[in-house]
Amino acid sequence: MLNASRQWLIKILESESLAASSIPRAARAEITNICEAGFIKWKKSGAGAKYSVADEEAIRNLLESTGYDGELGKLTPKAKAVALHGDAHKGRDEAMLLTLSTAGSPRWSDGENTLDVSDHTSKFGIASLVVRPRDQWRTDQPVGLVENLDLVLYGKQYFERVGFQGSILYYSGWLSKALLDWLAEAKRAPSYVIFADYDLVGIKNYLLAKDRLGESLSIYIPDNLPELLKRFGNPKKLESKSDRTLIELSGNPEAIRLYQALLDAGCGLDQESLLLI
């Protein structure tokens, strides 16, 4: 049953009768069916009409059997959305789970608690941190943004080669607006380096992050990128129908340089090529 219908039925139980005009548009069909079942009754009232309770027990049984009857305040946002709408996607939860690894000895702190990423990953292979907008979490070393999980699981092997020291933060495909909002709202780290796939999506991720993080963000481009593209590049990584306008009109020197290198080679390159440098 729709949450709009449930809330209207709860109100009519409290007041015993309600004007027909009080029924939300979304609930009209269900309320009509409930009326036809004899749980409530309709009658003309002045220039309008009103509904009144005909079978209170039946209504309460209906409410109990068609939705959540507990305290909504004890539910998570997603669980509450299932209870009210039957759709978890309608629940907005501001909490985010950061998946972290290390290439150095970074620590994250919110002023009260400290996460030693290096110590945690040495024991458990990976670290994680739940963050929310307006919290105080920040780190004392640079943050490397990586698109693929291999660079998180084997961070030490990858980043010893490129000389990066700091936390490795996994963003899985596309950098989300929520993550960029969180990173940009406070000085979360001294600086950021994005280690993107060398393809159209990777360049766009860099531009999206650059727009939010400004001069604190750089992109890592190997000195021998043309050679890596020649030896290990994949032409299919440039066959994407993804719009290139954002890149071509960006005016960003690093994005244009990388884009031109891909066009010259006629292929793109996976992020995992960093282990081949």
Side-chain angles (χ1 to χ4, degrees):
M1 183 189 298
L2 294 173
N3 183 52
S5 304
R6 289 179 55 80
Q7 294 305 312
W8 189 86
L9 288 173
I10 291 170
K11 287 180 181 179
I12 200 171
L13 285 175
E14 293 171 348
S15 59
E16 295 188 354
S17 66
L18 288 173
S21 59
S22 68
I23 301 175
R25 179 176 297 180
R28 288 175 185 170
E30 286 186 332
I31 297 303
T32 297
N33 291 337
I34 292 169
C35 183
E36 291 175 352
F39 294 0
I40 56 177
K41 57 186 177 182
W42 177 95
K43 70 176 181 179
K44 195 166 180 59
S45 177
K50 68 177 183 180
Y51 285 95
S52 59
V53 175
D55 190 334
E56 180 178 340
E57 184 179 358
I59 295 174
R60 293 193 182 280
N61 288 337
L62 178 65
L63 287 170
E64 186 176 347
S65 64
T66 57
Y68 183 71
D69 202 34
E71 295 182 43
L72 290 173
K74 293 184 177 180
L75 300 178
T76 66
K78 294 290 187 179
K80 184 177 179 180
V82 174
L84 296 181
H85 310 291
D87 185 354
H89 294 291
K90 291 187 177 182
R92 297 189 63 183
D93 190 352
E94 291 186 315
M96 289 179 290
L97 177 65
L98 303 187
T99 301
L100 300 166
S101 185
T102 182
S105 303
R107 289 177 171 82
W108 286 79
S109 175
D110 66 354
E112 296 181 7
N113 307 290
T114 298
L115 171 64
D116 187 324
V117 181
S118 180
D119 179 66
H120 205 81
T121 54
S122 68
K123 294 176 180 176
F124 308 109
I126 206 164
S128 60
L129 185 64
V130 176
V131 300
R132 293 174 175 84
R134 299 170 295 282
D135 66 22
Q136 300 302 309
W137 284 106
R138 60 196 67 212
T139 180
D140 57 347
Q141 290 191 15
V143 169
L145 302 169
V146 302
E147 186 174 335
N148 300 322
L149 197 56
D150 204 56
L151 279 77
V152 178
L153 298 177
Y154 304 99
K156 185 175 181 180
Q157 291 172 248
Y158 278 98
F159 294 102
E160 278 183 349
R161 288 178 173 262
V162 302
F164 175 80
Q165 294 282 310
S167 296
I168 307 304
L169 173 56
Y170 175 55
Y171 63 85
S172 180
W174 280 101
L175 276 165
S176 71
K177 180 180 182 300
L179 176 58
L180 289 175
D181 286 345
W182 183 80
L183 291 174
E185 72 176 4
K187 189 175 182 181
R188 303 292 184 183
S191 60
Y192 304 88
V193 182
I194 187 168
F195 296 89
D197 276 340
Y198 301 107
D199 59 13
L200 302 180
V201 171
I203 299 175
K204 289 182 180 181
N205 268 319
Y206 164 61
L207 290 172
L208 291 173
K210 189 70 172 178
D211 182 60
R212 300 302 307 280
L213 301 176
E215 293 305 310
S216 65
L217 175 82
S218 60
I219 184 171
Y220 181 80
I221 303 176
D223 292 335
N224 64 337
L225 179 62
E227 179 187 347
L228 291 172
L229 285 166
K230 182 178 180 180
R231 295 179 63 192
F232 308 110
N234 185 344
K236 291 183 178 180
K237 294 183 73 66
L238 278 189
E239 292 177 0
S240 168
K241 296 180 180 179
S242 179
D243 186 5
R244 304 183 182 194
T245 305
L246 176 66
I247 301 171
E248 294 170 348
L249 300 181
S250 68
N252 181 285
E254 293 301 294
I256 297 300
R257 179 165 76 89
L258 177 54
Y259 181 53
Q260 190 60 54
L262 302 185
L263 294 180
D264 290 345
C267 59
L269 187 67
D270 286 319
Q271 193 179 48
E272 290 85 351
S273 63
L274 294 179
L275 205 57
L276 308 175
I277 293 176

